[in-house]
Amino acid sequence: MRLDDPVVLDLTGVEDKAALMDRCADALGLPDWFGRNWDALADCLADLPRPVALVVTGWQGYAEARPREWRTAREVFATAADENPTRLSVLLSLGRGFGGSS
């Protein structure tokens, strides 16, 4: 896994689960069958076609607006990374911006 070319998941302006799922689908290039729910996200993260270093940016507003959803999202990301650590790393950016590919 290369940390010098991460996939950036920018959650700036995301206010609900539907928008989060749309951003995940776009950033990760998820398949058309992606059902835009927590289980489908977990399935897609477990079946990534290549190793991914995912950097989540702009998440603070979503975390404040929807703390319960954000907690679930963190759990989904953490479980996927724990179950397949050579294929997925998830990093939360604490700053305002981050370089890399999106």
Side-chain angles (χ1 to χ4, degrees), residues 1-3 5-9 24 27-30 38 40-56 73-92:
M1 179 170 333
R2 294 185 49 180
L3 293 178
D5 189 24
V7 173
V8 177
L9 174 60
C24 288
L28 292 164
L30 299 182
W38 299 121
L41 180 59
D43 290 344
C44 287
L45 292 173
D47 196 30
L48 292 170
R50 63 181 176 83
V52 172
L54 182 66
V55 178
V56 184
R74 283 191 346 248
E75 289 172 7
V76 169
F77 288 133
T79 299
D82 285 345
E83 289 177 355
N84 208 349
T86 62
R87 302 290 288 172
L88 178 66
S89 291
V90 180
L91 305 117
L92 298 181

Side-chain angles (χ1 to χ4, degrees), residues 2 4 12 23 27 31 44 46 54 57 67-68 71 74 83:
R2 294 185 49 180
D4 59 337
T12 303
R23 295 278 179 95
C44 287
L54 182 66
T57 64
R68 187 176 266 164
R71 190 168 35 255
R74 283 191 346 248
E83 289 177 355

Side-chain angles (χ1 to χ4, degrees), residues 7 15 17 24-25 34 38 45-46 66 82 85 88 94 98 102:
V7 173
E15 296 180 0
K17 179 180 160 188
C24 288
F34 173 54
W38 299 121
L45 292 173
R66 303 285 183 132
D82 285 345
L88 178 66
L94 299 178
F98 185 85
S102 52

